[in-house]
Amino acid sequence: MQFLPSFLAVLAAYLIGSLSFAVIVSRSMGLDDPRNYGSGNPGATNVLRSGHRSAALLTLAFDALKGYVPVMLALVYGPSFGLGEGTVALVGLAAFVGHLWPVFFGFKGGKGVATAAGVLLALNPWLGLATLLTWLIVAAFFRYASLASIAAALFAPFYQLLIWGMAPMLLSIAAMSLLLIWRHQPNLAKLFAGTESRIGAKPEAVGGPAVKHPINHHAGSSHGHPHAASRTPSHKKAKR
């Protein structure tokens, strides 16, 4: 393994992974910063809570591509520079770590589900598809994106080991899985508490600035009607 080309490839992958597309897409479309509403996670699921599906789809696509592209480049052009399978696996892990701790965004990133999927699809398309299918099945049955992500992360290294056997990429896949599950600790707590939001939940169901219709606590006997308070003085004047 050539040290300098390997180092540069891993560094480039980390920098590409550090592009937080949830923030970039939201800013380019004039939307609120996804770190300031909902779960505060800069990822496609939280962007979807803003109600802008196109922004969420773009975020999902670009987050997946920033995991897929560096690995594919390393696979195609790496052999010319003496890069082996071990370096390719490290490139995928570096892109994933960049998403979790992006240098361009104060090292505060997302949970890495889409980026990990992109890495897996590039490393082993069949493994990537099997992992995505696991996510879809769990999500369809339980309607929890976090639970589907945790299940997919648990199964990915076992798929690799049981079907394709030991390989340099196995360690990187296992590391990504452990990091992804670790980043979902708050979601696990909410799942056990029964407070985790389901897929397709409206923004009003999520705490924070995403709530668009706060209740008027000063309405008194008006029962929260937005115009009741303004009508009260006119009634009093009429009685006078």
Coordinates of all heavy atoms in Angstrom, one line a residue, residues 32-122:
D32 N -35.3 27.0 6.3 CA -34.6 27.1 7.6 C -33.5 26.1 7.7 O -33.5 25.0 7.1 CB -35.6 26.9 8.8 CG -36.6 28.0 8.9 OD1 -36.3 29.1 8.4 OD2 -37.7 27.8 9.4
D33 N -32.5 26.4 8.6 CA -31.4 25.5 8.8 C -32.0 24.2 9.6 O -32.6 24.4 10.6 CB -30.3 26.1 9.7 CG -29.1 25.3 9.8 OD1 -29.1 24.1 9.9 OD2 -28.0 26.0 9.7
P34 N -31.8 23.0 9.0 CA -32.4 21.8 9.7 C -31.8 21.5 11.1 O -32.4 20.8 11.8 CB -32.0 20.7 8.7 CG -30.9 21.2 7.9 CD -31.1 22.7 7.8
R35 N -30.7 22.2 11.4 CA -30.2 22.0 12.8 C -31.0 22.8 13.8 O -30.7 22.7 15.0 CB -28.7 22.4 12.8 CG -27.8 21.6 11.9 CD -26.4 22.1 11.7 NE -26.4 23.4 11.0 CZ -25.4 24.1 10.7 NH1 -24.2 23.6 11.1 NH2 -25.4 25.2 10.1
N36 N -31.9 23.7 13.3 CA -32.6 24.6 14.2 C -34.1 24.2 14.4 O -34.9 24.9 15.0 CB -32.6 26.0 13.7 CG -31.2 26.6 13.7 OD1 -30.3 26.2 14.5 ND2 -30.9 27.5 12.7
Y37 N -34.5 23.0 13.9 CA -35.9 22.6 14.1 C -35.9 21.0 14.2 O -35.0 20.4 13.9 CB -36.8 23.1 13.0 CG -36.5 22.6 11.6 CD1 -36.9 21.4 11.2 CD2 -35.9 23.4 10.7 CE1 -36.7 20.9 9.9 CE2 -35.6 23.0 9.5 CZ -36.0 21.7 9.0 OH -35.7 21.3 7.8
G38 N -37.1 20.5 14.6 CA -37.3 19.1 14.7 C -36.3 18.4 15.6 O -36.1 18.9 16.7
S39 N -35.6 17.4 15.1 CA -34.6 16.7 15.9 C -33.3 17.4 15.9 O -32.4 17.1 16.7 CB -34.4 15.3 15.3 OG -33.8 15.4 14.0
G40 N -33.1 18.4 15.0 CA -31.8 19.1 15.0 C -30.8 18.4 14.2 O -29.7 18.9 14.0
N41 N -31.2 17.2 13.6 CA -30.2 16.4 12.8 C -30.2 16.9 11.4 O -31.2 17.0 10.7 CB -30.7 15.0 12.9 CG -29.7 14.1 12.1 OD1 -28.5 14.0 12.4 ND2 -30.2 13.4 11.1
P42 N -29.0 17.2 10.9 CA -28.8 17.6 9.5 C -28.9 16.4 8.5 O -27.8 16.0 8.0 CB -27.5 18.4 9.4 CG -26.7 17.7 10.5 CD -27.7 17.3 11.6
G43 N -30.1 15.9 8.3 CA -30.2 14.8 7.5 C -31.6 14.9 6.7 O -32.4 15.7 7.0
A44 N -31.8 13.9 5.8 CA -32.9 14.0 4.9 C -34.2 13.8 5.7 O -35.2 14.5 5.4 CB -32.8 12.9 3.8
T45 N -34.2 13.0 6.7 CA -35.5 12.8 7.5 C -35.9 14.0 8.2 O -37.1 14.4 8.2 CB -35.3 11.6 8.5 OG1 -34.9 10.4 7.9 CG2 -36.5 11.4 9.3
N46 N -35.0 14.8 8.7 CA -35.4 16.0 9.4 C -35.7 17.1 8.4 O -36.6 17.9 8.7 CB -34.2 16.5 10.3 CG -34.7 17.4 11.4 OD1 -35.8 17.3 12.0 ND2 -33.9 18.5 11.7
V47 N -35.1 17.1 7.3 CA -35.4 18.1 6.3 C -36.9 17.8 5.8 O -37.6 18.8 5.5 CB -34.5 18.0 5.1 CG1 -35.0 18.9 3.9 CG2 -33.1 18.5 5.5
L48 N -37.3 16.6 5.7 CA -38.6 16.2 5.3 C -39.7 16.8 6.3 O -40.8 17.1 5.9 CB -38.8 14.7 5.3 CG -40.1 14.1 4.8 CD1 -40.4 14.6 3.4 CD2 -40.1 12.6 4.9
R49 N -39.3 17.0 7.6 CA -40.2 17.5 8.5 C -40.5 19.0 8.3 O -41.5 19.5 8.8 CB -39.6 17.4 9.9 CG -39.5 16.0 10.5 CD -39.1 15.9 11.9 NE -39.0 14.5 12.4 CZ -38.0 13.9 12.8 NH1 -36.8 14.5 12.8 NH2 -38.0 12.6 13.2
S50 N -39.7 19.6 7.4 CA -40.0 21.0 7.1 C -41.2 21.1 6.1 O -41.7 22.2 5.9 CB -38.8 21.7 6.4 OG -38.5 21.1 5.2
G51 N -41.6 20.0 5.5 CA -42.6 19.9 4.6 C -42.2 20.0 3.1 O -43.0 20.0 2.2
H52 N -40.9 20.2 2.9 CA -40.3 20.3 1.5 C -39.8 19.0 1.1 O -38.6 18.7 1.4 CB -39.3 21.4 1.5 CG -39.8 22.8 1.8 ND1 -40.3 23.6 0.8 CD2 -40.0 23.4 3.0 CE1 -40.7 24.8 1.3 NE2 -40.6 24.7 2.7
R53 N -40.6 18.2 0.4 CA -40.1 16.9 -0.1 C -39.0 17.0 -1.1 O -38.1 16.1 -1.0 CB -41.3 16.1 -0.7 CG -42.4 15.8 0.3 CD -43.5 14.9 -0.3 NE -44.5 14.6 0.7 CZ -45.6 13.8 0.4 NH1 -45.7 13.4 -0.8 NH2 -46.4 13.6 1.3
S54 N -39.0 17.9 -1.9 CA -37.9 18.1 -2.9 C -36.6 18.3 -2.3 O -35.6 17.7 -2.7 CB -38.2 19.2 -3.9 OG -38.4 20.4 -3.3
A55 N -36.6 19.1 -1.2 CA -35.4 19.4 -0.5 C -34.9 18.1 0.2 O -33.7 17.8 0.3 CB -35.6 20.5 0.6
A56 N -35.8 17.4 0.8 CA -35.4 16.1 1.5 C -34.9 15.1 0.5 O -33.9 14.4 0.8 CB -36.7 15.5 2.2
L57 N -35.5 15.0 -0.7 CA -35.0 14.0 -1.7 C -33.6 14.4 -2.2 O -32.8 13.6 -2.4 CB -36.0 14.0 -2.9 CG -37.3 13.2 -2.6 CD1 -38.3 13.4 -3.8 CD2 -37.1 11.8 -2.4
L58 N -33.4 15.7 -2.4 CA -32.1 16.2 -2.9 C -31.0 15.9 -1.8 O -29.9 15.5 -2.1 CB -32.1 17.7 -3.2 CG -32.8 18.1 -4.5 CD1 -32.9 19.6 -4.6 CD2 -32.0 17.6 -5.7
T59 N -31.4 16.1 -0.5 CA -30.5 15.8 0.6 C -30.1 14.4 0.6 O -29.0 14.0 0.8 CB -31.1 16.3 1.9 OG1 -31.4 17.7 1.9 CG2 -30.2 16.0 3.1
L60 N -31.2 13.5 0.5 CA -30.9 12.1 0.5 C -30.0 11.6 -0.6 O -29.1 10.9 -0.4 CB -32.3 11.4 0.4 CG -32.3 9.8 0.4 CD1 -31.8 9.3 1.7 CD2 -33.6 9.3 0.0
A61 N -30.3 12.2 -1.8 CA -29.5 11.8 -3.0 C -28.0 12.2 -2.9 O -27.1 11.4 -3.1 CB -30.1 12.4 -4.3
F62 N -27.8 13.5 -2.5 CA -26.4 14.0 -2.3 C -25.7 13.3 -1.2 O -24.5 13.1 -1.3 CB -26.4 15.5 -2.2 CG -26.6 16.2 -3.5 CD1 -27.7 17.1 -3.7 CD2 -25.8 16.1 -4.5 CE1 -27.9 17.7 -4.9 CE2 -26.0 16.7 -5.7 CZ -27.1 17.6 -5.9
D63 N -26.4 13.0 -0.1 CA -25.7 12.4 1.1 C -25.3 11.0 0.7 O -24.2 10.5 1.1 CB -26.7 12.3 2.3 CG -26.6 13.6 3.1 OD1 -25.8 14.5 2.8 OD2 -27.5 13.8 4.0
A64 N -26.1 10.3 -0.1 CA -25.7 9.0 -0.6 C -24.6 9.0 -1.6 O -23.6 8.2 -1.5 CB -26.9 8.3 -1.2
L65 N -24.6 10.0 -2.5 CA -23.6 10.2 -3.5 C -22.2 10.5 -2.9 O -21.2 10.0 -3.4 CB -24.0 11.3 -4.5 CG -25.0 10.9 -5.6 CD1 -25.4 12.1 -6.4 CD2 -24.4 9.8 -6.5
K66 N -22.2 11.2 -1.8 CA -20.9 11.6 -1.2 C -20.3 10.4 -0.5 O -19.1 10.4 -0.2 CB -21.1 12.7 -0.2 CG -21.7 12.4 1.1 CD -21.8 13.7 1.9 CE -22.4 13.4 3.3 NZ -22.5 14.7 4.1
G67 N -21.0 9.3 -0.3 CA -20.5 8.0 0.1 C -20.1 7.1 -1.0 O -19.1 6.4 -1.0
Y68 N -20.9 7.2 -2.1 CA -20.7 6.3 -3.2 C -19.6 6.8 -4.1 O -18.7 5.9 -4.5 CB -22.0 6.3 -4.1 CG -22.0 5.4 -5.3 CD1 -22.4 4.1 -5.1 CD2 -21.7 5.9 -6.5 CE1 -22.4 3.3 -6.2 CE2 -21.7 5.1 -7.6 CZ -22.1 3.8 -7.5 OH -22.0 2.9 -8.6
V69 N -19.5 8.1 -4.4 CA -18.5 8.6 -5.4 C -17.1 8.4 -5.0 O -16.3 7.9 -5.8 CB -18.8 10.1 -5.7 CG1 -17.7 10.6 -6.6 CG2 -20.1 10.2 -6.5
P70 N -16.7 8.7 -3.7 CA -15.3 8.5 -3.4 C -14.9 7.0 -3.4 O -13.7 6.7 -3.9 CB -15.2 9.0 -1.9 CG -16.4 10.0 -1.8 CD -17.4 9.4 -2.6
V71 N -15.8 6.1 -3.1 CA -15.4 4.7 -3.1 C -15.3 4.2 -4.6 O -14.3 3.5 -4.9 CB -16.5 3.9 -2.4 CG1 -16.2 2.4 -2.6 CG2 -16.5 4.2 -0.9
M72 N -16.2 4.7 -5.4 CA -16.1 4.3 -6.8 C -14.8 4.8 -7.5 O -14.2 4.2 -8.3 CB -17.3 4.8 -7.6 CG -18.6 4.0 -7.3 SD -18.4 2.2 -7.7 CE -18.0 2.2 -9.4
L73 N -14.5 6.1 -7.1 CA -13.3 6.7 -7.7 C -12.0 5.9 -7.2 O -11.1 5.6 -8.0 CB -13.1 8.1 -7.3 CG -14.1 9.1 -7.9 CD1 -14.0 10.5 -7.3 CD2 -13.9 9.2 -9.4
A74 N -12.0 5.5 -6.0 CA -10.9 4.7 -5.5 C -10.9 3.3 -6.1 O -9.8 2.8 -6.4 CB -11.1 4.5 -4.0
L75 N -12.0 2.7 -6.4 CA -12.1 1.4 -7.1 C -11.6 1.5 -8.5 O -10.9 0.6 -9.0 CB -13.5 0.8 -7.0 CG -14.0 0.3 -5.7 CD1 -15.5 0.0 -5.8 CD2 -13.2 -1.0 -5.3
V76 N -12.0 2.5 -9.2 CA -11.7 2.7 -10.6 C -10.2 3.1 -10.8 O -9.5 2.6 -11.7 CB -12.7 3.6 -11.3 CG1 -12.2 3.9 -12.8 CG2 -14.1 3.0 -11.3
Y77 N -9.8 4.2 -10.1 CA -8.5 4.8 -10.3 C -7.5 4.4 -9.3 O -6.3 4.6 -9.5 CB -8.6 6.3 -10.4 CG -9.6 6.8 -11.4 CD1 -10.8 7.3 -11.1 CD2 -9.1 6.8 -12.8 CE1 -11.7 7.7 -12.2 CE2 -10.0 7.3 -13.8 CZ -11.3 7.7 -13.5 OH -12.1 8.2 -14.5
G78 N -7.9 3.8 -8.2 CA -7.0 3.4 -7.1 C -5.8 2.5 -7.6 O -4.7 2.7 -7.2
P79 N -6.2 1.4 -8.3 CA -5.1 0.5 -8.7 C -3.9 1.1 -9.5 O -2.8 0.7 -9.3 CB -5.8 -0.5 -9.6 CG -7.3 -0.5 -9.1 CD -7.5 0.9 -8.7
S80 N -4.2 2.2 -10.2 CA -3.1 2.9 -10.9 C -2.1 3.5 -10.0 O -1.0 3.8 -10.3 CB -3.7 3.9 -11.8 OG -4.6 3.4 -12.8
F81 N -2.6 3.8 -8.7 CA -1.7 4.4 -7.7 C -1.3 3.4 -6.6 O -0.9 3.9 -5.6 CB -2.5 5.6 -7.1 CG -2.8 6.7 -8.1 CD1 -4.0 6.8 -8.8 CD2 -1.8 7.7 -8.4 CE1 -4.3 7.8 -9.7 CE2 -2.1 8.7 -9.3 CZ -3.3 8.7 -9.9
G82 N -1.6 2.2 -6.9 CA -1.2 1.2 -5.9 C -2.2 1.0 -4.7 O -1.8 0.5 -3.7
L83 N -3.4 1.5 -4.9 CA -4.3 1.4 -3.8 C -5.1 0.1 -3.8 O -5.6 -0.3 -4.8 CB -5.4 2.5 -3.8 CG -4.8 4.0 -3.9 CD1 -6.0 5.0 -3.9 CD2 -3.9 4.2 -2.8
G84 N -5.1 -0.6 -2.7 CA -5.7 -1.9 -2.6 C -7.1 -1.9 -1.9 O -7.7 -0.8 -1.7
E85 N -7.6 -3.0 -1.6 CA -9.0 -3.1 -1.1 C -9.1 -2.5 0.3 O -10.1 -1.9 0.7 CB -9.4 -4.6 -1.0 CG -9.6 -5.3 -2.3 CD -10.1 -6.7 -2.2 OE1 -10.3 -7.1 -1.0 OE2 -10.3 -7.4 -3.2
G86 N -8.0 -2.6 1.0 CA -8.0 -2.0 2.4 C -8.1 -0.5 2.3 O -8.9 0.1 3.1
T87 N -7.4 0.2 1.4 CA -7.6 1.6 1.2 C -8.9 2.0 0.8 O -9.5 3.0 1.2 CB -6.5 2.1 0.2 OG1 -5.2 1.8 0.7 CG2 -6.6 3.6 0.0
V88 N -9.5 1.2 -0.2 CA -10.9 1.5 -0.6 C -11.9 1.4 0.5 O -12.7 2.3 0.6 CB -11.3 0.5 -1.7 CG1 -12.7 0.7 -2.1 CG2 -10.4 0.7 -3.0
A89 N -11.7 0.5 1.4 CA -12.6 0.3 2.6 C -12.4 1.5 3.5 O -13.4 2.1 4.0 CB -12.3 -0.9 3.3
L90 N -11.2 2.0 3.7 CA -10.9 3.2 4.5 C -11.5 4.5 3.9 O -11.9 5.4 4.6 CB -9.4 3.4 4.7 CG -8.7 2.4 5.7 CD1 -7.2 2.6 5.7 CD2 -9.3 2.5 7.1
V91 N -11.5 4.5 2.6 CA -12.1 5.7 1.9 C -13.6 5.7 2.2 O -14.1 6.8 2.5 CB -11.8 5.6 0.3 CG1 -12.8 6.5 -0.4 CG2 -10.4 5.9 0.0
G92 N -14.3 4.6 2.1 CA -15.7 4.6 2.5 C -15.9 5.0 3.9 O -16.8 5.8 4.2
L93 N -15.1 4.5 4.8 CA -15.2 4.8 6.2 C -15.0 6.3 6.5 O -15.7 7.0 7.3 CB -14.3 4.0 7.1 CG -14.3 4.2 8.6 CD1 -15.7 4.0 9.2 CD2 -13.3 3.4 9.3
A94 N -14.0 6.9 5.8 CA -13.6 8.3 5.9 C -14.8 9.2 5.4 O -15.1 10.2 6.1 CB -12.4 8.6 5.1
A95 N -15.5 8.8 4.3 CA -16.6 9.6 3.9 C -17.7 9.6 4.9 O -18.4 10.6 5.1 CB -17.1 9.1 2.5
F96 N -17.9 8.4 5.5 CA -19.0 8.3 6.5 C -18.6 9.1 7.7 O -19.5 9.8 8.3 CB -19.1 6.8 6.9 CG -20.1 6.5 8.0 CD1 -21.4 6.6 7.8 CD2 -19.6 6.3 9.3 CE1 -22.4 6.3 8.8 CE2 -20.5 6.0 10.3 CZ -21.9 6.0 10.1
V97 N -17.4 9.1 8.2 CA -17.0 9.8 9.4 C -17.1 11.3 9.1 O -17.4 12.1 9.9 CB -15.5 9.4 9.7 CG1 -14.9 10.4 10.8 CG2 -15.5 8.0 10.3
G98 N -16.8 11.7 7.8 CA -16.9 13.1 7.5 C -18.4 13.6 7.6 O -18.6 14.8 8.0
H99 N -19.3 12.8 7.3 CA -20.7 13.2 7.5 C -21.0 13.3 9.0 O -21.8 14.2 9.4 CB -21.6 12.1 6.9 CG -23.1 12.4 7.1 ND1 -23.8 13.3 6.2 CD2 -24.0 12.0 8.0 CE1 -25.0 13.4 6.6 NE2 -25.2 12.6 7.7
L100 N -20.5 12.4 9.8 CA -20.8 12.5 11.3 C -20.1 13.7 11.9 O -20.7 14.4 12.8 CB -20.3 11.2 12.0 CG -21.3 10.1 12.1 CD1 -21.9 9.7 10.8 CD2 -20.6 8.9 12.8
W101 N -18.9 14.0 11.5 CA -18.1 15.1 12.1 C -17.5 16.0 11.0 O -16.3 15.9 10.7 CB -17.0 14.5 13.0 CG -17.5 13.8 14.2 CD1 -18.1 14.4 15.3 CD2 -17.5 12.4 14.4 NE1 -18.4 13.5 16.2 CE2 -18.1 12.2 15.7 CE3 -17.1 11.3 13.7 CZ2 -18.3 10.9 16.3 CZ3 -17.3 10.1 14.2 CH2 -17.9 9.9 15.5
P102 N -18.3 16.8 10.3 CA -17.9 17.6 9.2 C -17.0 18.7 9.6 O -17.4 19.6 10.4 CB -19.2 18.0 8.6 CG -20.2 18.1 9.7 CD -19.8 17.0 10.6
V103 N -15.9 18.8 9.0 CA -14.9 19.9 9.3 C -15.5 21.2 8.9 O -15.1 22.3 9.5 CB -13.6 19.6 8.7 CG1 -13.6 19.7 7.1 CG2 -12.5 20.6 9.2
F104 N -16.3 21.3 7.9 CA -16.8 22.6 7.4 C -18.0 23.1 8.2 O -18.5 24.2 8.0 CB -17.3 22.4 5.9 CG -16.2 21.9 5.0 CD1 -16.4 20.8 4.2 CD2 -14.9 22.6 4.9 CE1 -15.4 20.3 3.4 CE2 -13.9 22.1 4.1 CZ -14.1 21.0 3.3
F105 N -18.6 22.3 9.1 CA -19.8 22.6 9.8 C -19.6 22.4 11.3 O -20.5 21.9 12.0 CB -21.0 21.9 9.3 CG -21.3 22.2 7.9 CD1 -20.7 21.6 6.8 CD2 -22.3 23.2 7.6 CE1 -21.1 21.9 5.5 CE2 -22.6 23.5 6.3 CZ -22.0 22.9 5.2
G106 N -18.4 22.8 11.8 CA -18.2 22.7 13.2 C -18.2 21.3 13.8 O -18.4 21.1 15.0
F107 N -17.9 20.3 13.0 CA -17.9 18.9 13.4 C -19.2 18.4 14.0 O -19.2 17.5 14.8 CB -16.7 18.7 14.4 CG -15.4 19.0 13.9 CD1 -14.8 20.2 14.2 CD2 -14.7 18.1 13.1 CE1 -13.5 20.5 13.6 CE2 -13.5 18.4 12.5 CZ -12.9 19.6 12.8
K108 N -20.3 19.1 13.6 CA -21.6 18.7 14.1 C -22.4 18.2 12.8 O -23.0 19.0 12.1 CB -22.3 19.8 14.8 CG -21.6 20.3 16.0 CD -22.3 21.5 16.7 CE -21.6 21.9 17.9 NZ -22.3 23.1 18.6
G109 N -22.5 16.9 12.7 CA -23.1 16.3 11.5 C -24.3 15.5 11.8 O -24.8 15.5 12.9
G110 N -24.7 14.7 10.8 CA -25.9 13.9 10.9 C -25.5 12.5 11.4 O -24.5 12.2 12.0
K111 N -26.5 11.5 11.1 CA -26.3 10.2 11.6 C -25.7 9.2 10.6 O -25.3 8.1 10.9 CB -27.7 9.7 12.2 CG -28.1 10.5 13.4 CD -29.5 10.2 13.8 CE -30.0 11.1 14.9 NZ -31.4 10.9 15.3
G112 N -25.7 9.6 9.3 CA -25.0 8.9 8.4 C -25.7 7.8 7.6 O -25.0 7.0 7.0
V113 N -27.0 7.7 7.7 CA -27.7 6.5 7.1 C -27.5 6.5 5.6 O -27.1 5.5 5.0 CB -29.2 6.6 7.5 CG1 -29.9 5.4 6.8 CG2 -29.3 6.5 9.0
A114 N -27.8 7.7 5.0 CA -27.7 7.7 3.5 C -26.3 7.6 3.0 O -26.0 6.9 2.0 CB -28.3 9.1 3.0
T115 N -25.4 8.2 3.7 CA -24.0 8.1 3.3 C -23.5 6.7 3.5 O -22.7 6.2 2.6 CB -23.1 9.0 4.2 OG1 -23.6 10.4 4.1 CG2 -21.7 9.0 3.7
A116 N -23.8 6.0 4.5 CA -23.5 4.6 4.7 C -24.0 3.7 3.6 O -23.4 2.8 3.1 CB -23.9 4.1 6.1
A117 N -25.3 4.0 3.2 CA -25.9 3.3 2.1 C -25.1 3.5 0.8 O -24.9 2.5 0.0 CB -27.4 3.7 1.9
G118 N -24.7 4.7 0.5 CA -23.9 5.0 -0.6 C -22.6 4.2 -0.6 O -22.1 3.7 -1.7
V119 N -21.9 4.2 0.5 CA -20.7 3.5 0.7 C -20.9 2.0 0.4 O -20.1 1.3 -0.4 CB -20.1 3.7 2.1 CG1 -18.9 2.7 2.3 CG2 -19.7 5.1 2.3
L120 N -21.9 1.4 1.0 CA -22.2 -0.1 0.8 C -22.5 -0.4 -0.6 O -22.0 -1.4 -1.2 CB -23.3 -0.5 1.7 CG -23.0 -0.5 3.2 CD1 -24.3 -1.0 4.0 CD2 -21.8 -1.3 3.6
L121 N -23.3 0.4 -1.3 CA -23.6 0.2 -2.7 C -22.4 0.2 -3.6 O -22.3 -0.5 -4.6 CB -24.6 1.2 -3.2 CG -26.1 1.0 -2.7 CD1 -26.9 2.2 -3.0 CD2 -26.7 -0.2 -3.3
A122 N -21.4 1.1 -3.2 CA -20.2 1.1 -4.0 C -19.2 -0.1 -3.7 O -18.6 -0.7 -4.6 CB -19.5 2.4 -3.8

